[in-house]
Amino acid sequence: MHPGSGGAMQRELGAAGVDAGQAATAAQAMFERIDQVRRALLGDGLMTVSVHDAQACRLTRLWSSDPQSYPAGGSKHKPPTPWTRQVLQR
């Protein structure tokens, strides 16, 4: 996980007694396993996991199956559109 992307989440994990480093390691392993299954079912392709900050209208990448080309921490502005409402808000 990108350190700048989950400050609030890290505080919540800490308040719940969960070590943020352990949670990040578990999330990494989970994303890798999901990608293995996705590849087995669908073949090669890119998988990314991002977090959406609705207030800032920003997507920030937390994980990528191709970290060389699409590293964690990459982000982009996603203003409200019919697509963002359908995909990110529903």
Side-chain angles (χ1 to χ4, degrees):
M1 289 187 178
H2 185 265
S5 66
M9 185 184 341
Q10 289 176 347
R11 286 189 296 280
E12 289 176 27
L13 289 171
V18 177
D19 178 82
Q22 290 175 335
T25 300
Q28 175 83 10
M30 178 184 63
F31 298 148
E32 288 173 2
R33 181 64 182 133
I34 291 168
D35 188 49
Q36 288 173 352
V37 172
R38 180 200 58 82
R39 286 177 189 263
L41 293 172
L42 303 173
D44 287 337
L46 175 68
M47 179 179 136
T48 63
V49 177
S50 298
V51 64
H52 178 236
D53 181 340
Q55 277 191 310
C57 298
R58 181 159 294 285
L59 283 173
T60 302
R61 192 176 311 108
L62 300 178
W63 184 88
S64 172
S65 62
D66 183 1
Q68 297 281 4
S69 299
Y70 302 94
S75 67
K76 58 184 161 185
H77 182 69
K78 280 290 183 190
T81 66
W83 180 89
T84 59
R85 283 188 286 281
Q86 178 70 27
V87 174
L88 302 174
Q89 296 173 354
R90 286 188 152 186

